Every structure is written in C-alpha cells, then in structure tokens.
Amino acid sequence: MTDRSAPNRMKMLDDRTVRLDGPRLAPETVRGARAVRTVDLAAVAENWRALSARVAPARCAAVIKAGAYGIGRRDAKVLAEGLAAIGCDAFFVAAIDEAIALGPVANHADIFVLDGLIPDRANEYMAGIQPVLSTRAQIEAWAHHCKALGARKPAAVHIDTGMSRLGLTPEEIPSIAERTDLFEAFALSLVVSHPACADDLANPMTAEQLARFNALRAKLPTAPASFANSAAIFHGPEYHLDLVRPGISLYGARAVNDVPNPMQPAVGLHGRILQVRTIPFGASVGYGARFVAQRDTRVATIATGYADGYERALGNAPKADRPRVWIAGQPAPIVGRVSMDLITADVTDIPDGDVSEGDWAELFGVNQSVDDLADICGTIGYELLTGIGTRAARVGWTVEGDQLYSLEG
Ligand SMILES: *Cc1c(COP(=O)(O)O)cnc(C)c1O
C-alpha cells in the first residue's frame, strides 16, 4: 500500500509506535500536534479483504465518500490506491469533485459518483469516473452527451425501492425502459438501489426492497446489479448480487445493530493533555459549572472539543453514561461540558505517574469504539467519524509486506 512515486512521504516507524492503543503515540509523527486522528490503513485493508471474501464471487467495492468517512481527502486517495493494489476495482464517492481528487487510482477501476450527473459537468466524467444516474433527465442528458461524443461511455442507474431519496421511481421505469434509443447511446455499467433499514436484521423492509429491485431491474437492459451497503452484506448472499458497496464496515464501525461487530477498528481520535490539576471538593468544572467535585478531584484538560468533532452533547452526561477517555490504557470519565477546543476528564483514579502534561488521551479508537460514543450522544458512528475536524493532525499506518510506515501528518 505504498505510493512508490513518493517514497519520501513514508517514514518507517519502530514497533513501539504501531500500537494504536498505546499510551503514547510516536513522538516523531505527532510532534507539535494538539489532536491526532489515527487511520490504520492496514485495518481498512483487512476489513475490505474480509468483506470481499464473504461476498465472493460478487465484487466488493469501497465507499470512500466524504474523505473516506472523515479520515481526510488526501488519505482517501492513499486508501484507494492501497485498496486497488489488493484487488479493489470499484469505488463510490458522493461528489464529482471527490472523484476527480482521486486522480487515476488504478487503470481499470470504476469510480461511481452517487450524486449522478451534475449539469454542465458531463465532460469531467472520464477515466473510470461515471455518474449514477438517478432521474429521467439525467439519463437523457447522458445519452445526449454520449451521442455528441460518438462514444458509449459508462454510467450506472439508480432505482428507488423505498428510500424516496435518489433514483428512478417504480412508476417511471416502464416508460424509460421503452426508450431503447437512450440505453443504446451509453454503456449501462451497473444498476443500483439502496436499503433503508438494513441496520436492523429483523426488519422485513430489506427483503421487500430487494424483491422490488429485482423485479424493476428486470425491465431495464441487462446489467450488473448492486443493492448492499455494509449492513445489507450481513443479511446473506441473496443481497450481494454482482457488487456490494460497503462504507462504514471498512472503517471498522458498526453497520448492524444488536449483533457483535466483526470488523477491526481503523480510525481513532486522540487529544493531548494540556494541563493536570487537583480541585477540592465543591469546586466546579467548565461552562455552566455543571460538574461539581464530590471529592478532591484530579482533572486533566485535553486539547479536543466540539470544533474537532467531539460533540458537545457528550458533555455532562449522567454519571453512569459518562463517556470516557483512555489514558495509558486506563479509563477516565469526561466531566463538565465540552468546550469548543477542550474537554476535561476526571483522572483521580489513574496513578499520578500515568497521566502528565503532554500525554495522549484516546477519545475513541481501540479502547472505546466510536459507536459507544455515538450511542451516548444519540447519534451514529458515521456522524462522529465524518465530523472529525481538520484541526487534528493525521497519522496513518500503512503496510508494505510486513513493514509499517506512517503517512506524514
Ligand atoms: C454511503 C452509501 C453506501 C455505504 O453505506 P455504509 O452504510 O457506510 O456501508 C452505499 N451505497 C450508497 C448509495 C451510499 O450512499
């Protein structure tokens, strides 16, 4: 997973630094940072391999929209290159600009743009980049574009089977299917639909949507089909069709509720401890003085706040639900409100020698999953991952053979 054209970008790390759950991140890679998001590209690769094996002979794509779910635009490119190197040949992004930013990922990769065809930009869908057409007008415009070029360029078509979000409606498909002139003008590369409730294995809607999808796509010219996001992959092989589109599972977060998550965590957020102090019984912490010490309390102030994606709703939860940070492998509950730039943790129960100014606290990652945090503040891992602010420096791990490298922050 190494970009050989830029060897200087990679810097070998010693063994000690490879552990994402370690109390200290490698000093040379995080020097000067106040917060760090760690991206274990090797874990993403392993997650892709595991999903790919599960769905074979279906093709396993990788959804890398939103900077690969918040790991960053530059990392999304590195990640796509790495996944291409281990056999992934289809990628999904939301925006045409995300597709262009990937550059030539691999000679034969398909890069699907879920937004569809953005008016006036048809010429920019090239070299594997293709729209997922979701309306009659987009199909007509793409056919027109291809005719004008004299080339049957590829495009996917999105069918709505219950999201009511993007895609042709069931009602309009028969009349569109009659327009053989349109489908002769371009190469129909994939027919796509998206499940609404696949995170719940017991919800019958997923099977209903699949049945609707299979009936509707039979009316269109024959093409490979794709239905499954991460969650639908776990519903069984009939959902895999020709190609699956996992996103969240690649990054290790939870796709299906109420069952163990088999994926490896790949993304973490760590904040630097800026100050440690002891406050007496009765002293308060943070805005609104919402936490009041019930004993002499050691408080660590950590350089991460809601501007870094640590949601404000995580502050001042009832005692039993308090999110924790992990310092030197030990948990410490968050106390007081989350500020824009800072959070505060009760580190009274961590031995003095294990918590010092300059140390790192894990906010989510290996010890506390992003999903556990999301549950506490009433959101989903997706939102926390994609909300990690750009203020946090990046540290990515990648593998070549059995060597580990870091990506420069
Ligand atoms: C985002 C997205 C996916 C990936 O969904 P996950 O739940 O992250 O696996 C797949 N298909 C479409 C159309 C999407 O918008």
Side-chain angles (χ1 to χ4, degrees), residues 51 62-65 69 92-94 114 132 158 163 165-166 192-195 198-199 226-233 244-251 254-255 382:
L51 293 169
V63 180
I64 54 172
K65 60 193 181 188
Y69 287 47
F92 285 81
V93 293
L114 290 164
V132 182
H158 198 145
M163 284 289 278
R165 197 176 67 165
L166 286 177
V192 170
S193 192
H194 194 66
D199 58 341
S226 175
F227 179 77
N229 57 359
S230 299
I233 290 172
V244 298
R245 313 184 302 272
I248 198 74
S249 287
L250 295 178
Y251 310 105
R254 182 174 72 209
Y382 297 73

Side-chain angles (χ1 to χ4, degrees), residues 19-259:
R19 297 173 48 236
L20 292 182
D21 59 340
R24 287 179 176 80
L25 294 162
E28 67 274 24
T29 57
V30 298
R31 184 171 296 128
R34 68 191 300 273
V36 165
R37 57 201 151 119
T38 50
V39 184
D40 185 344
L41 295 180
V44 179
E46 240 169 272
N47 287 336
W48 183 83
R49 275 206 180 94
L51 293 169
S52 189
R54 178 188 275 264
V55 304
R59 242 169 121 193
C60 188
V63 180
I64 54 172
K65 60 193 181 188
Y69 287 47
I71 72 176
R73 248 200 198 190
R74 260 201 313 161
D75 288 324
K77 186 173 187 313
V78 174
L79 177 64
E81 287 163 355
L83 291 177
I86 59 169
C88 181
D89 61 2
F91 298 92
F92 285 81
V93 293
I96 176 69
D97 291 318
E98 292 179 308
I100 293 167
L102 290 175
V105 159
N107 288 336
H108 302 293
D110 292 312
I111 300 169
F112 295 100
V113 178
L114 290 164
D115 280 351
L117 182 62
I118 298 292
D120 304 323
R121 300 191 67 177
N123 282 322
E124 296 175 62
Y125 297 75
M126 57 201 315
I129 300 175
Q130 49 199 297
V132 182
L133 305 168
S134 61
T135 66
R136 176 192 291 269
Q138 285 183 20
I139 293 174
E140 288 169 353
W142 189 249
H144 182 77
H145 170 70
C146 291
K147 276 185 202 152
L149 278 180
R152 293 185 76 232
K153 292 183 28 168
V157 165
H158 198 145
I159 297 178
D160 176 32
T161 56
M163 284 289 278
S164 306
R165 197 176 67 165
L166 286 177
L168 301 171
T169 65
E171 294 71 32
E172 64 188 341
I173 284 179
S175 68
I176 290 173
E178 279 173 13
R179 293 284 308 278
T180 49
D181 61 312
L182 296 178
F183 289 99
E184 278 160 11
F186 69 95
L188 181 60
S189 57
L190 190 69
V191 183
V192 170
S193 192
H194 194 66
C197 302
D199 58 341
D200 174 6
L201 288 178
N203 192 313
M205 183 160 174
T206 314
E208 288 159 18
Q209 281 189 271
L210 179 66
R212 213 171 294 147
F213 181 47
N214 286 336
L216 290 168
R217 68 189 176 89
K219 299 180 202 284
L220 296 177
T222 305
S226 175
F227 179 77
N229 57 359
S230 299
I233 290 172
F234 297 96
H235 286 243
E238 64 272 36
Y239 293 85
H240 301 162
L241 304 179
D242 299 297
L243 179 148
V244 298
R245 313 184 302 272
I248 198 74
S249 287
L250 295 178
Y251 310 105
R254 182 174 72 209
V256 179
N257 298 327
D258 305 320
V259 296

Side-chain angles (χ1 to χ4, degrees), residues 229-296:
N229 57 359
S230 299
I233 290 172
F234 297 96
H235 286 243
E238 64 272 36
Y239 293 85
H240 301 162
L241 304 179
D242 299 297
L243 179 148
V244 298
R245 313 184 302 272
I248 198 74
S249 287
L250 295 178
Y251 310 105
R254 182 174 72 209
V256 179
N257 298 327
D258 305 320
V259 296
N261 176 3
M263 312 317 292
Q264 300 205 22
V267 183
L269 180 62
H270 305 253
R272 195 187 284 282
I273 297 171
L274 298 178
Q275 187 168 358
V276 184
R277 60 145 57 73
T278 300
I279 60 171
F281 171 92
S284 68
V285 176
Y287 284 118
R290 294 294 287 272
F291 176 81
V292 177
Q294 301 301 306
R295 57 176 176 172
D296 288 354

